[in-house]
């Protein structure tokens, strides 16, 4: 959700001052994803600074991107054009190959569905992931036509994450930064966020909802009022999940099967 602001700043800087005078430096945490995403936007490596808590930086101006969630200011500032600018800059003409799990799953007539996984040390671990996957596979996405690939998205390089989302018809995952990749999904595709909602009043209206709306991706939040962000594990109640998946199928008009054109 930060990249659209950077793309806007980059566009302004290049138009107003030209490449020769572009002087903005980008202070980031030293994560491969952050560094790779900036390089993909065309920002020179020597303009990227790794955050060090023992180093002080001075600047004439400091820009801090605001959260792209449910605030009115964020909604007015970011539009489809800004997200498209990120997608066009970040997605090369030829995307890398998708992970083997998706290749094996994609033998049917549709693009595969993707269930995003997290390790136990990554926070908000989904304890009954396989049951969630089975309901998707058996109730909404018949195995012979719409396999469900389970992928740990954080283990993939930036460009491969983009390829996974661009190739999927449906993505389901526990709310988290991995869902920001909905910016790469095809218009008309579907994203579902499994959202811990204890002590929250946004009813699932998160930054991922706004990105999806801007990109024409159909977005649903499956709320878990039993859990909050401080929990390390979440478990999806199966009866409610089955009812949700059935409602999702009817809402999509697929009658128990995801349409081939989705």
């Amino acid at each position: 959700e930060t990249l659209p602001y950077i793309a806007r700043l980059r566009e302004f800087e290049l138009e107003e001052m030209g490449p020769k005078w572009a002087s903005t430096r980008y202070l980031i945490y030293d994560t491969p994803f952050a560094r790779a995403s900036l390089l993909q936007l065309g920002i020179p490596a020597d303009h990227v600074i790794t955050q060090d808590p023992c180093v002080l930086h001075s600047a004439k101006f400091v820009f801090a991107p605001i959260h792209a969630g449910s605030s009115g200011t964020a909604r007015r500032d970011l539009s489809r054009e800004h997200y498209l600018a990120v997608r066009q800059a970040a997605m090369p003409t030829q995307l890398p190959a998708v992970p083997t799990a998706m290749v094996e799953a994609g033998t049917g007539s549709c693009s595969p569905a993707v269930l995003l996984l997290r390790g136990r040390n990554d926070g908000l671990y989904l304890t009954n992931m396989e049951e969630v996957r089975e309901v998707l596979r058996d109730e909404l996405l018949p195995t012979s036509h719409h396999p469900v690939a389970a992928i740990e998205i954080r283990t993939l390089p930036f460009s491969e994450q983009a390829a996974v989302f661009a190739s999927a018809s449906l993505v389901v995952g526990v709310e988290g930064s991995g869902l920001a990749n909905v910016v790469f999904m095809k218009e008309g595709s579907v994203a579902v966020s499994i959202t811990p909602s204890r002590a929250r009043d946004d009813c699932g209206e998160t930054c991922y909802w706004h990105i999806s709306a801007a990109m024409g991706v159909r977005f649903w939040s499956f709320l878990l009022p039993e859990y909050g962000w401080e929990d390390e594990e979440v478990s999806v109640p199966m009866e409610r999940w089955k009812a949700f998946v059935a409602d999702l199928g009817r809402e999509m008009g697929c009658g128990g099967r995801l349409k081939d054109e989705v």
Side-chain angles (χ1 to χ4, degrees):
E1 67 241 47
T2 300
L3 293 181
Y5 293 107
I6 295 176
R8 291 179 65 191
L9 175 62
R10 180 80 172 157
E11 180 182 22
F12 170 80
E13 190 174 45
L14 292 176
E15 286 182 355
E16 296 298 320
M17 295 179 285
K20 180 178 179 181
W21 302 105
S23 58
T24 302
R25 298 296 184 266
Y26 299 84
L27 184 65
I28 64 169
Y29 291 110
D30 192 17
T31 63
F33 182 88
R35 189 171 294 277
S37 61
L38 293 181
L39 293 177
Q40 201 76 30
L41 288 181
I43 295 170
D46 59 356
H47 283 207
V48 180
I49 303 170
T50 301
Q51 190 269 349
D52 183 337
C54 296
V55 174
L56 296 177
H57 300 277
S58 61
K60 186 174 182 180
F61 297 103
V62 175
F63 300 94
I66 62 175
H67 192 270
S70 56
S71 78
T73 301
R75 286 202 298 270
R76 289 194 299 271
D77 283 352
L78 291 180
S79 68
R80 176 179 171 84
E81 287 68 30
H82 302 132
Y83 289 116
L84 281 174
V86 172
R87 183 159 74 179
Q88 291 163 359
M91 291 177 68
T93 303
Q94 183 64 45
L95 285 170
V98 297
T100 303
M102 283 188 72
V103 174
E104 293 173 348
T107 56
S109 60
C110 259
S111 300
V114 174
L115 177 62
L116 303 183
L117 305 183
R118 284 180 174 174
R120 282 194 173 272
N121 297 323
D122 297 332
L124 289 175
Y125 176 74
L126 185 58
T127 58
N128 58 344
M129 176 274 298
E130 192 53 43
E131 293 177 85
V132 169
R133 185 182 182 187
E134 286 179 7
V135 171
L136 283 172
R137 187 171 55 208
D138 299 339
E139 302 295 331
L140 178 64
L141 312 168
T143 307
S144 60
H145 298 282
H146 311 284
V148 183
I151 295 176
E152 192 172 354
I153 200 75
R154 67 183 296 275
T155 65
L156 302 179
F158 177 81
S159 58
E160 289 185 26
Q161 293 188 32
V164 165
F165 277 74
S167 301
S169 297
L170 167 68
V171 171
V172 177
V174 177
E175 183 185 5
S177 57
L179 285 174
N181 286 296
V182 295
V183 73
F184 301 119
M185 295 185 75
K186 299 183 293 290
E187 187 169 353
S189 54
V190 178
V192 175
S193 170
I194 299 173
T195 307
S197 58
R198 186 174 64 215
R200 289 172 55 171
D201 58 4
D202 57 16
C203 201
E205 186 190 5
T206 65
C207 58
Y208 313 114
W209 183 93
H210 287 287
I211 297 172
S212 298
M215 301 310 297
V217 175
R218 293 180 287 175
F219 184 90
W220 281 267
S221 284
F222 181 82
L223 303 182
L224 296 177
E226 309 91 337
Y227 299 98
W229 269 100
E230 68 275 14
D231 295 310
E232 295 181 357
E233 298 181 348
V234 298
S235 178
V236 173
M238 280 298 101
E239 289 305 313
R240 194 154 63 85
W241 178 245
K242 289 178 182 178
F244 171 81
V245 171
D247 287 343
L248 178 63
R250 285 190 289 271
E251 183 73 21
M252 292 162 55
C254 58
R257 176 175 294 184
L258 191 64
K259 287 183 178 179
D260 285 6
E261 65 266 19
V262 172

